[in-house]
């Protein structure tokens, strides 16, 4: 029997049907059915095209009439009975072309049954969908992620024929289709022709659909059962298998009277669950090196009276306690020279009044500013000046005098700003917050003493105090509020301080119901979400490598080092904690953080 064959596929971009190859062939005499012709053409096409595998799920005549598997070639092809060399033209479709042709006729939104399973090796879900075709057929679709590499269509006549063969015992089962990681690899390889593409040795998945006859099926003439089986690469137990009864009425497949729900299988747990107390007992004590930042609350400062024999009088022009506490401001050099830098202090205003009659004139000829050290000794400050503070836009600025001479008539007063600097050994702060304060080596509160000398050689002094505000260091409490964490009991945090830079780095863990995941968040701004799929992938990798710990994150910079390791239980294989190591220039902390309680909540959200 001589046939003209056209093998068609679908253009990926346009979806148009395009021929792959056209040829004429002689069909062997032992090929008598359409199903046999499909298998023969698959072998022939693989050889002609130089591919590993060619699939022919559908054959039609040149004018579009479908050929069903059970059709006898001698009954439907003219060339089988024509002895004068007549050639039938048969069109063969590949899987992509078949799906494109039939897609609009498939009830994809409301299938009879859907079986899904996550594969934690390639993070791609594998699915089998069974449903109704608008022309009364049954469709079975294999799905890998968002792709549909296989589609099988069965008419009622084909289902009846298979049922009869099963009932007679001619066959025990009818395998409709299989699709495995190897089939998928060869399919993609043939499409891309990539010589560098290699098969992932960790992949080992397979989808299979077959028809069987159960005892309940034998009771009715119009009933058969589809058995779907999914094995994914990360399976350590028996593959998931589901039986779905299929019924038909006349020439149409219909949904079973017994409701068959869609099923999503994410994990087959063959290990006995352990209580949370079991995992708590696995957590070791933290290892801590270095001190934490001393961050006391802001001190309550005093307001002092001036003293001395000069007729100039000095007064701090604020009365409210909160104003007194924040009146003196600070700054620091941005970098040190030879291990030293200047710490500047600014007194926005000191009211100076000359208490003499209006005919007298007196001059300030010298201004000094001192600070009291830890031994209660007074030490001279440098870069001491009078000046004025003025507002420019939203900011306050200073204009400093070149000289400290101030002339004043009796009964007059003026408010002048005062500044001075202390040379400090150490490192200045890295940002505005850590530079806008007295260095940690200085006492708190810090006492500053203003001393003026007039042209008569007399002096007057006033003590002013400066207090540091608490640093806005990250804590569990303020991060809960800042990130709007709803479930406070499911948040945990590890911190490590740099006492020189007055900075704190951290690694935090908390439950996100929105993302259905555990969130790992770091002080430098990055965060990661681990949902159930990511968690199971980590567990599978740890089991395959026979490891109890896998590195999940690493970062090192001038601000510190962040290392995070996922930790797995040797008995159950589950992820139950993260080992966190944090390091700064002055400290180091290593702590194993129990997250099993958070992960249990994540599992409930799936």
């Amino acid at each position: 029997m001589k046939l003209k064959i056209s093998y068609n596929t679908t253009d990926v971009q346009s979806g148009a049907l395009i021929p792959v190859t056209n040829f004429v062939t002689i069909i062997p005499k032992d090929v008598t059915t359409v199903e046999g012709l499909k298998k023969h053409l698959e072998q022939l096409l693989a050889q002609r095209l130089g591919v590993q595998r060619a699939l022919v799920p559908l054959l039609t005549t040149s004018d579009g009439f479908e050929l069903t598997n059970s059709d006898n070639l001698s009954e439907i092809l003219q060339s089988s009975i024509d002895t004068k060399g007549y050639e039938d033209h048969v069109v063969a479709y590949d899987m992509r072309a078949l799906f494109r042709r039939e897609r609009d006729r498939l009830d994809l939104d409301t299938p009879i049954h859907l079986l899904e399973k996550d594969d934690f090796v390639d993070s791609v879900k594998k699915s089998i969908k069974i449903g109704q075709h608008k022309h009364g057929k049954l469709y079975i679709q294999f799905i890998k992620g968002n792709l549909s590499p296989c589609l099988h269509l069965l008419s009622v006549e084909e289902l009846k024929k298979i049922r009869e063969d099963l009932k007679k015992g001619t066959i025990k089962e009818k395998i409709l289709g299989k699709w495995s990681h190897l089939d998928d690899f060869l399919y993609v390889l043939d499409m891309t022709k990539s010589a560098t593409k290699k098969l992932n040795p960790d992949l080992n998945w397979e989808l299979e659909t077959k028809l069987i006859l159960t005892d309940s099926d034998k009771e009715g003439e119009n009933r058969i059962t589809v058995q779907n089986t999914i094995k994914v690469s990360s399976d350590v137990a028996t593959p998931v298998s589901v039986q779905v009864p299929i019924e038909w009425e006349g020439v149409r497949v219909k949904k079973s009277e017994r409701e068959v729900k869609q099923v999503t299988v994410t994990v087959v747990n063959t290990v006995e669950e352990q209580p949370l107390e079991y995992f708590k007992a696995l957590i070791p004590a933290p290892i801590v090196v270095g001190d934490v930042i001393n961050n006391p609350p802001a001190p309550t400062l005093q307001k002092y009276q001036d003293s001395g024999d000069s007729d100039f009088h000095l007064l701090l022009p604020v009365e409210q306690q909160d104003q007194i506490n924040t009146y003196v401001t600070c700054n620091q050099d941005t970098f040190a020279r030879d291990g030293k830098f200047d710490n500047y202090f600014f007194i926005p205003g000191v009211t100076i009044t000359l208490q003499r009659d209006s005919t007298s004139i007196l001059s300030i000829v010298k201004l000094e500013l001192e600070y009291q050290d830890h031994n209660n000794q007074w030490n001279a400050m440098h870069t001491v000046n009078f000046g004025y503070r003025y507002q420019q836009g939203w900011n306050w600025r200073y204009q400093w005098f070149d000289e400290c001479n101030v002339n004043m008539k009796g009964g007059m007063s003026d408010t002048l700003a005062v500044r001075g600097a202390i040379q400090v050994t150490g490192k200045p702060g890295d940002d505005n917050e850590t530079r806008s304060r007295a260095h940690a080596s200085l006492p708190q509160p810090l006492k500053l003493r203003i001393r003026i000398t007039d042209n008569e050689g007399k002096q007057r002094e006033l003590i002013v105090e400066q207090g540091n505000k608490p640093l806005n260091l990250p804590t569990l409490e303020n991060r809960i509020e800042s990130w709007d964490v709803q479930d406070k009991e499911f948040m945990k945090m590890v911190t490590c301080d740099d006492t020189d830079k007055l900075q704190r780095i951290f690694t935090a863990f908390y439950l996100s119901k929105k993302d259905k995941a555990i969130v790992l968040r770091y002080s430098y701004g990055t965060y990661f979400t681990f949902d159930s799929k990511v968690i199971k992938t980590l567990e599978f990798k740890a089991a395959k490598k026979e490891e109890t710990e896998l590195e999940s994150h690493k970062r090192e910079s001038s601000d510190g080092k962040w290392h995070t390791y996922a930790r797995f239980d040797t008995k159950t294989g589950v992820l139950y904690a993260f080992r966190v190591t944090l390091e700064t220039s002055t400290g180091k902390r290593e702590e194993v953080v129990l997250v099993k309680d958070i992960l249990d909540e994540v599992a409930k959200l799936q």
Side-chain angles (χ1 to χ4, degrees), residues 28-209:
K29 292 182 179 180
D30 58 347
V31 177
T32 60
T33 64
V34 171
E35 185 174 16
L37 179 59
K38 286 180 180 178
K39 292 179 180 178
H40 175 73
L41 290 177
E42 286 177 347
Q43 296 175 359
L44 191 61
L45 285 164
Q47 295 172 2
R48 289 184 63 88
L49 298 175
V51 297
Q52 301 287 338
R53 185 179 182 185
L55 297 177
V56 181
L58 176 66
L59 291 176
T60 71
T61 62
S62 59
D63 48 0
F65 290 93
E66 291 183 22
L67 307 181
T68 59
N69 285 341
S70 58
D71 286 340
N72 194 307
L73 295 180
S74 63
E75 297 175 355
I76 61 172
L77 296 181
Q78 178 69 23
S79 57
S80 64
I81 58 175
D82 193 319
T83 59
K84 296 182 180 180
Y86 181 84
E87 298 172 359
D88 280 295
H89 187 183
V90 175
V91 179
Y93 287 72
D94 72 357
M95 280 292 180
R96 198 164 60 201
L98 173 66
F99 185 73
R100 179 76 182 187
R101 169 189 165 108
E102 302 293 338
R103 182 175 57 188
D104 294 339
R105 303 169 187 167
L106 305 177
D107 185 5
L108 297 174
D109 294 332
T110 55
I112 295 173
H113 185 263
L114 174 64
L115 178 64
E116 298 179 318
K117 193 168 186 185
D118 289 320
D119 194 328
F120 305 122
V121 173
D122 59 3
S123 299
V124 177
K125 184 180 290 183
K126 314 298 188 299
S127 311
I128 301 177
K129 185 184 287 188
I130 302 173
Q132 296 167 305
H133 187 282
K134 288 183 178 179
H135 295 169
K137 300 177 183 179
L138 176 74
Y139 78 79
I140 298 165
Q141 183 187 17
F142 290 170
I143 307 169
K144 179 194 141 189
N146 295 322
L147 303 176
S148 177
C150 272
L151 178 68
H152 299 279
L153 298 174
L154 289 140
S155 66
V156 169
E157 289 75 17
E158 289 175 294
L159 290 172
K160 285 180 179 179
K161 176 66 169 61
I162 295 170
R163 187 186 187 286
E164 288 174 5
D165 291 340
L166 289 170
K167 193 170 183 180
K168 291 176 183 177
T170 309
I171 55 174
K172 293 183 178 180
E173 60 185 28
K174 176 66 174 179
I175 297 177
L176 299 177
K178 287 185 179 182
W179 193 259
S180 70
H181 65 287
L182 184 58
D183 295 319
D184 189 69
F185 173 75
L186 295 176
Y187 177 69
V188 174
L189 186 65
D190 291 337
M191 287 180 61
T192 60
K193 304 296 183 184
S194 173
T196 59
K197 186 173 178 61
K198 296 185 181 300
L199 180 64
N200 184 346
D202 292 332
L203 288 177
N204 182 24
W205 56 267
E206 184 177 73
L207 310 179
E208 181 185 69
T209 295

